Amino acid sequence: MEQNNKNLIPHVHMPNLNMELFTKYEVELAKVLSSDKERYWHSISVALTAVTLADTYNANKDDCLVAGLLHDYCKCMSVDEMLRLSKEHGLQLSDEDIKADGCIHGFLAAKLCKDKFGINDEVYNAIYYHTCGKPNMNALEKIIYISDFIEPLRRFRDRVSDIRRLCFTNIDLAIVKSSEASLEFLKRNNKFIHSNTIKTLEYYKEKCNVK
């Protein structure tokens, strides 16, 4: 898995990549995701994808790198463990947040990484909202949200190839398409849908004048 996945992203060219920062958080990532190599390589791929988008949308590359690497920091935890840690770290989760348990890992990852690494507020929010999104996201939040969806190791998403091309020219419309696909997936699998998922789609459809 490791060698095969490495070979899937050789074309990504990133001048000015902060290798010291990458190494710092890659080491932490390898620890917390040691039981899930696929998730580890997904996180690396999200970070690299985010950095490639940074120039297009005038975002801070270091923030893109850190948020991409850490967005799934809690992904290998069980729901019970995440709820316990949320309580221990003073993370307030609403009933809706808990019902949408596929989003909890983002909420908690933002809090734990803030406490442990002192990530800035921009990175915190990008990690926090990377799953369900929110209306009127800033450039970093948009980049992490869409990079999680279109990173090159993703193979199972419907329409992902079209969205990959679109995200470099119109990230707002790419968010519409990815949000629609996510919503369809949740409905098809009878998953609880967080209101932010719906609000994100509605906001960007209106912004892009999509009916």
Side-chain angles (χ1 to χ4, degrees):
M1 175 68 73
E2 284 187 54
Q3 293 180 346
N4 288 341
N5 280 352
K6 280 183 180 179
N7 293 333
L8 288 176
I9 44 180
H11 65 285
V12 178
H13 175 58
M14 269 154 303
N16 304 318
L17 181 67
N18 187 333
M19 289 306 299
E20 182 178 355
L21 200 62
F22 177 88
T23 301
K24 173 184 176 180
Y25 289 108
E26 184 276 333
V27 169
E28 295 295 332
L29 192 69
K31 292 177 184 176
V32 297
L33 298 182
S34 61
S35 64
D36 190 342
K37 291 299 183 183
E38 184 174 355
R39 183 61 51 182
Y40 166 84
W41 284 111
H42 161 72
S43 299
I44 297 291
S45 190
V46 168
L48 300 186
T49 300
V51 172
T52 65
L53 284 167
D55 284 338
T56 301
Y57 296 105
N58 195 30
N60 183 288
K61 285 187 177 181
D62 285 354
D63 287 350
C64 287
L65 179 64
V66 174
L69 287 172
L70 298 178
H71 78 285
D72 273 353
Y73 189 79
C74 297
K75 190 68 174 182
C76 288
M77 298 179 183
S78 67
V79 173
D80 286 345
E81 184 178 5
M82 287 190 289
L83 292 178
R84 177 181 62 79
L85 287 171
S86 295
K87 186 174 182 180
E88 287 181 4
H89 286 260
L91 176 64
Q92 299 296 318
L93 297 175
S94 68
D95 290 342
E96 179 183 35
D97 293 339
I98 295 171
K99 288 179 182 178
D101 55 17
C103 298
I104 299 174
H105 73 278
F107 304 148
L108 180 60
K111 177 60 175 171
L112 293 187
C113 292
K114 181 76 168 178
D115 291 350
K116 185 171 183 178
F117 307 120
I119 58 173
N120 63 42
D121 291 343
E122 289 75 18
V123 171
Y124 178 98
N125 287 332
I127 295 172
Y128 191 93
Y129 291 107
H130 85 267
T131 299
C132 57
K134 67 172 184 175
N136 196 27
M137 289 185 281
N138 64 28
L140 176 61
E141 291 161 355
K142 291 179 186 179
I143 286 171
I144 300 303
Y145 179 87
I146 201 67
S147 296
D148 185 36
F149 193 89
I150 59 97
E151 60 91 356
L153 301 186
R154 290 287 202 194
R155 295 173 176 269
F156 60 90
R157 300 278 199 185
D158 294 339
R159 296 172 290 179
V160 71
S161 295
D162 291 338
I163 297 170
R164 281 174 179 148
R165 290 189 289 270
L166 185 60
C167 72
F168 284 91
T169 57
N170 189 336
I171 197 169
D172 290 340
L173 189 54
I175 289 171
V176 171
K177 300 298 184 182
S178 61
S179 296
E180 286 177 336
S182 294
L183 194 58
E184 289 171 8
F185 172 82
L186 292 169
K187 288 179 177 178
R188 187 165 62 246
N189 290 275
N190 297 314
K191 298 288 188 179
F192 182 85
I193 299 171
H194 198 287
S195 62
N196 269 6
T197 302
I198 298 170
K199 290 175 182 176
T200 298
L201 176 57
E202 291 175 344
Y203 175 88
Y204 285 98
K205 284 180 70 173
E206 182 176 355
K207 186 176 182 180
C208 297
N209 196 27
V210 174
K211 303 299 181 183

